[in-house]
Amino acid sequence: MDAVFDFLCAALPLVAMGLFLAVFFARHAEKKQRKAQTADHAAEGMCIGMCIGTAIGAAFLDNVVLGISLGMLLGLAVGTGIEKEKRGADDEEK
């Protein structure tokens, strides 16, 4: 029992410090991402890419899963490159 207690006394400070650093960096990254985030058409591109990938995968590749994943990847790449337009002074998305 003493060996378990010695192990906990040695490992607990390291585990606590690791959890503290993980929470600290995650909160810092979230704040940074929230400031720099721009609106784009990533979700729409993924949806359209998934539909097209399913059709192409079923018709030509005989592998629907490969078509879905490649379609989503291609749709995400295209949708991320297109920024959403702003309406006016209130900065609402179209």
Side-chain angles (χ1 to χ4, degrees), residues 25-76:
F25 287 123
R27 289 185 62 180
H28 180 70
E30 179 184 356
K31 287 179 184 177
K32 192 177 211 181
Q33 183 182 15
R34 203 177 314 147
K35 289 179 184 177
Q37 190 175 16
T38 59
D40 57 9
H41 291 282
E44 292 92 346
M46 286 176 63
C47 291
I48 292 171
M50 186 170 51
C51 294
I52 293 172
T54 303
I56 290 175
F60 299 115
L61 300 176
D62 292 331
N63 192 352
V64 177
V65 176
L66 182 64
I68 289 174
S69 61
L70 290 177
M72 286 179 67
L73 180 66
L74 207 77
L76 177 65

Side-chain angles (χ1 to χ4, degrees), residues 1-13:
M1 191 68 180
D2 289 333
V4 173
F5 182 72
D6 290 339
F7 173 76
L8 288 176
C9 286
L12 193 60

Side-chain angles (χ1 to χ4, degrees), residues 39 41 44 84-88 90-94:
H41 291 282
E44 292 92 346
K84 288 188 178 180
E85 297 176 7
K86 302 289 182 182
R87 282 189 179 177
D90 58 352
D91 288 336
E92 290 182 11
E93 297 174 0
K94 282 188 176 179

